[in-house]
Amino acid sequence: MLLEIEKKIASFIEQVDSSFVQELFAKIQHGKMLRSKLMLAICPKHPDIITLCAIIEMIQIASLLHDDVIDEAHIRRGSPSINAVFGNKNAIMLGDIFYAQAFLKLTSFDRNIAQNVAECVVRLSRGEIHDVVMGNSFQESKERYFSMIEDKTASLIASSAKSAAILANLDSEKYYTYGLNLGIAFQIIDDLLDVFGDEKKLGKPAMSDYAEGKTTLPYLLLYQSLSQADKQKLKSYFRISSMEAKEWISEKMQEKEIFEKTQDMARFFANKALESIEGENNLKLEEIIKNMIYREF
Ligand code: FPP
Ligand code: MG
């Protein structure tokens, strides 16, 4: 099924009718297709599900193409990013093509699905803009962090689950809530991996979030457990990429058991996701949660 989705994306990009676009497209590494797996688990049979999955994956690809330009990231999924190889202008325009072509295909879907996906892209963009603004200074508010990751990451996962549920004639709100909480847990684990993960498995340098200006949950939890003097020290390392900063932060993260505390938060949201689909009898959705929470570190 995932292969069929990849083929559908390729055919949608072929329809753009540009050999240069094809050349750029060939350099994009396929991801884990979490959103498609989720949608197929909710709606495995509908004849339009492959197209809907392709649309969602294309929006996801578009957002990452733009995000790598914004973050000035040169590595994506262990390979050079499109902006690194072809420059920012091409990466942005390729993102626009993915985004616009996805929306063109979305117009043939039920109005509820189209509206829900379109609203989600607004949220996605709002999340990204808040992420950038928040990166200008050290952040102390967990509320702002949660609201930003809900927009930036969880909204597309929630919207994917809801769209698939609409297509399958299920109670779409339950699946939306499932997706939203899964998305929050997913981002928390991602933020945790940045601090504690292995560079090879991450496909990017470890501990890069804080050096890039992202005060993620592990840092928020660390900050609130530090003495006044250490709080200032942590703040002084904001946006600094040095061995000294990394070593000090790692040590404090260990000492204050931030790994466990952050993981507990991810589990809290994962359980909320499970609660929302109680009685729906969908073992695959339960498995998706378990696999995500126990991702390798
Ligand atoms: C990755 O965040 C970025 C996102 C999940 C969303 C980015 C959204 C936009 C750029 C707006 C989308 C607009 C359109 C038109 C589709 P990250 O930098 O924390 O994660 P990373 O480590 O994977 O880069
Ligand atoms: Mg990024």
Side-chain angles (χ1 to χ4, degrees):
M1 289 295 244
L2 294 182
L3 200 66
E4 276 184 61
I5 298 166
E6 282 175 13
K7 281 190 193 151
K8 187 66 88 182
I9 297 172
S11 85
F12 287 165
I13 293 303
E14 230 169 85
Q15 288 167 18
V16 177
D17 196 20
S18 154
S19 55
F20 183 55
V21 168
Q22 284 297 126
E23 191 191 327
L24 295 178
F25 172 58
K27 292 281 186 301
I28 293 181
Q29 303 294 319
H30 288 294
K32 296 182 290 285
M33 299 176 100
L34 165 76
R35 292 152 197 84
S36 292
K37 284 179 191 154
L38 186 61
M39 291 166 77
L40 290 168
I42 296 170
C43 176
K45 293 211 177 78
H46 195 286
D48 292 335
I49 191 68
I50 298 293
T51 301
L52 193 55
C53 287
I55 290 169
I56 297 288
E57 294 297 339
M58 285 169 78
I59 293 172
Q60 165 71 2
I61 294 169
S63 73
L64 295 180
L65 284 164
H66 288 180
D67 178 69
D68 283 342
V69 173
I70 294 165
D71 287 347
E72 297 176 24
H74 291 155
I75 302 279
R76 167 71 57 193
R77 296 175 184 136
S79 293
S81 58
I82 296 292
N83 48 311
V85 182
F86 298 96
N88 285 347
K89 290 180 186 177
N90 287 314
I92 291 170
M93 290 182 299
L94 186 65
D96 290 342
I97 284 178
F98 268 82
Y99 173 53
Q101 187 70 334
F103 264 57
L104 178 62
K105 301 297 171 186
L106 189 61
T107 56
S108 59
F109 277 83
D110 177 284
R111 195 186 158 83
N112 281 330
I113 294 181
Q115 215 160 36
N116 151 57
V117 174
E119 267 170 20
C120 156
V121 180
V122 178
R123 271 191 92 176
L124 203 64
S125 309
R126 184 177 68 183
E128 183 78 353
I129 212 166
H130 284 162
D131 195 16
V132 172
V133 172
M134 286 162 73
N136 291 329
S137 57
F138 181 86
Q139 299 294 317
E140 294 181 27
S141 158
K142 281 211 265 315
E143 287 68 33
R144 281 189 85 188
Y145 165 84
F146 281 118
S147 141
M148 186 274 290
I149 67 167
E150 232 183 69
D151 280 349
K152 192 184 74 166
T153 308
S155 66
L156 186 59
I157 299 177
S159 170
S160 309
K162 181 172 174 172
S163 304
I166 296 174
L167 214 53
N169 259 323
L170 295 166
D171 182 344
S172 64
E173 283 314 311
K174 282 188 182 171
Y175 291 84
Y176 180 84
T177 309
Y178 167 89
L180 198 70
N181 287 300
L182 165 75
I184 296 171
F186 179 81
Q187 186 61 53
I188 294 175
I189 297 284
D190 218 55
D191 293 345
L192 188 62
L193 284 170
D194 177 82
V195 180
F196 298 96
D198 175 298
E199 301 212 348
K200 277 201 204 94
K201 280 180 196 144
L202 286 177
K204 60 180 183 181
M207 293 189 90
S208 54
D209 280 350
Y210 197 55
E212 283 171 15
K214 295 178 185 181
T215 317
T216 58
L217 189 59
Y219 291 89
L220 289 163
L221 293 172
L222 177 62
Y223 183 75
Q224 80 183 25
S225 66
L226 291 175
S227 67
Q228 215 50 43
D230 281 348
K231 276 189 165 93
Q232 292 315 314
K233 187 148 184 168
L234 178 62
K235 275 183 166 179
S236 77
Y237 288 139
F238 180 69
R239 275 184 169 277
I240 302 289
S241 177
S242 70
M243 269 322 281
E244 181 198 312
K246 283 188 183 182
E247 274 167 18
W248 187 84
I249 292 169
S250 287
E251 206 171 285
K252 290 290 169 190
M253 290 272 185
Q254 300 279 346
E255 187 189 315
K256 302 292 178 186
E257 300 180 331
I258 301 303
F259 181 90
E260 291 75 12
K261 288 178 187 161
T262 310
Q263 205 177 33
D264 281 351
M265 295 291 274
R267 289 194 174 145
F268 169 79
F269 287 102
N271 282 332
K272 270 178 61 159
L274 286 176
E275 276 165 26
S276 65
I277 50 153
E278 236 166 43
E280 291 295 288
N281 246 327
N282 193 324
L283 287 177
K284 278 197 179 149
L285 291 190
E286 289 170 23
E287 212 161 279
I288 285 176
I289 293 276
K290 284 175 197 143
N291 288 341
M292 187 208 48
I293 287 295
Y294 299 104
R295 267 200 278 171
E296 277 189 79
F297 286 94

